Amino acid sequence: INAEYMGIALGFLFTYAQLILVMRSIFRPVCRPAIQSRQVLARNLLPRQFHTSAIRQSDHVILPPVTMLTEDEAMLRDAVAKFSQEEIAPLVLEMDEKSEMNPELLKKLFEAGFMGVEIPQEYGGPGMSFFQSILLIEEISKVDPAVAIGIDIQNTLINTILIRYASEHLKKKYLPRLATDTFSSFCLSEAGSGTDAFALKTTAKKVGSKYLINGTKMWISNSKEAGLFIVFANVDLSKGYKRNHRLRCRTWYSWSQSWQKKKISWV
């Protein structure tokens, strides 16, 4: 009986091996172009955009661990860690108790270049990478996550939106300020919709060449200190999910903050 079972098992394994060989012969020519195209795409994108210490080998790009930093990245990390301990750490308890950003600290963040990491040099920024902005945010988070969130919103939301989608006029108008002295706010969340942009109730009605925005937002980080707001509002409710527009507003004619809601991050 055991010999019979062994024969059946060996026959099954032999058949399975033959099936694998047949499948490889069928699909390998089909998959090879797709694999090669991904390698070419990675070779074109890296290391310029994703990680400056990527290693090229023939048609392959080998990504090192994210903990393996270049000399410039290590210098940035160490400089931010030193700044966090010397400038942020002594103010953490005071800012938590008052639920507000220390204005002098905010000035120092701009002076250190932390608020416009990816803003190109032509607009007054250092023109660094997304990876470097993450290094910065990570180091500050070790000392005060609330300050780090404010910096994160400025760099990865507001600045990124303007860099990628704004007209040249808006880039020249706002990016130099965002890099030097203007804190910003991302206004999406509402009481009834949270961060679901398709369910928000705030409206934007066109009046002449401008828009009249009417609605209520909640949990809006950086709103107390911000000088620039990107507001999500509905221009035409009848268009369903296609109705949402992002509106950039600099001057507020009728705006109020009802209360400062207690939360993990006070910004």
Side-chain angles (χ1 to χ4, degrees):
I1 296 176
N2 291 336
E4 182 179 353
Y5 281 135
M6 286 292 293
I8 294 174
L10 289 173
F12 174 78
L13 290 174
F14 180 74
T15 304
Y16 181 73
Q18 286 184 317
L19 178 62
I20 292 296
L21 292 174
V22 171
M23 295 295 287
R24 287 186 63 183
S25 66
I26 294 174
F27 288 105
R28 190 170 185 178
V30 177
C31 296
R32 185 181 297 275
I35 295 172
Q36 290 176 341
S37 67
R38 287 197 297 271
Q39 293 171 348
V40 171
L41 176 62
R43 188 168 66 253
N44 291 336
L45 291 176
L46 296 169
R48 185 177 67 254
Q49 294 182 6
F50 291 97
H51 201 293
T52 54
S53 58
I55 302 170
R56 298 176 185 275
Q57 287 188 359
S58 184
D59 289 336
H60 300 276
V61 175
I62 301 174
L63 288 176
V66 293
T67 53
M68 185 183 296
L69 305 179
T70 65
E71 183 179 350
D72 289 342
E73 291 164 350
M75 288 176 61
L76 172 66
R77 178 201 59 194
D78 295 342
V80 175
K82 184 174 184 293
F83 178 94
S84 299
Q85 291 296 334
E86 294 179 355
E87 304 293 345
I88 300 177
L91 301 172
V92 171
L93 291 179
E94 177 189 345
M95 291 190 294
D96 278 350
E97 290 173 355
K98 294 182 177 180
S99 296
E100 64 182 16
M101 176 81 80
N102 181 284
E104 291 302 316
L105 174 59
L106 187 56
K107 291 180 182 179
K108 291 178 181 179
L109 292 172
F110 278 106
E111 291 170 358
F114 293 170
M115 306 306 289
V117 177
E118 293 183 81
I119 294 178
Q121 294 182 0
E122 61 188 290
Y123 301 110
M128 293 192 287
S129 69
F130 175 71
F131 184 78
Q132 287 170 307
S133 70
I134 297 303
L135 279 178
L136 185 153
I137 293 164
E138 181 181 48
E139 286 304 313
I140 293 179
S141 296
K142 296 175 182 178
V143 176
D144 192 333
V147 173
I149 289 174
I151 296 173
D152 185 14
I153 291 171
Q154 176 104 348
N155 280 286
T156 64
L157 290 178
I158 306 298
N159 294 349
T160 299
I161 288 174
L162 289 171
I163 291 169
R164 293 189 179 184
Y165 304 114
S167 65
E168 188 61 27
H169 169 70
L170 291 176
K171 289 179 181 179
K172 290 180 178 178
K173 183 177 182 180
Y174 292 123
L175 289 178
R177 296 292 302 276
L178 290 168
T180 56
D181 61 15
T182 302
F183 211 24
S184 57
S185 181
F186 187 80
C187 308
L188 171 62
S189 300
E190 298 181 0
S193 61
T195 56
D196 181 3
F198 300 148
L200 57 84
K201 302 300 182 184
T202 297
T203 60
K205 181 180 179 181
K206 193 167 186 179
V207 180
S209 61
K210 299 181 180 181
Y211 282 89
L212 176 63
I213 299 177
N214 186 19
T216 302
K217 298 290 183 178
M218 291 187 70
W219 313 292
I220 303 304
S221 299
N222 300 354
S223 59
K224 188 174 182 180
E225 295 84 8
L228 172 67
F229 298 81
I230 291 185
V231 182
F232 285 72
N234 291 316
V235 175
D236 187 348
L237 293 170
S238 66
K239 292 184 178 180
Y241 71 91
K242 296 181 180 180
R243 66 181 181 262
N244 296 291
H245 286 62
R246 292 180 285 271
L247 303 177
R248 298 162 177 82
C249 304
R250 183 64 181 85
T251 304
W252 288 76
Y253 298 99
S254 179
W255 176 85
S256 64
Q257 182 177 8
S258 57
W259 78 94
Q260 176 74 26
K261 190 173 182 63
K262 296 290 183 180
K263 52 184 180 177
I264 294 177
S265 168
W266 39 259
V267 297

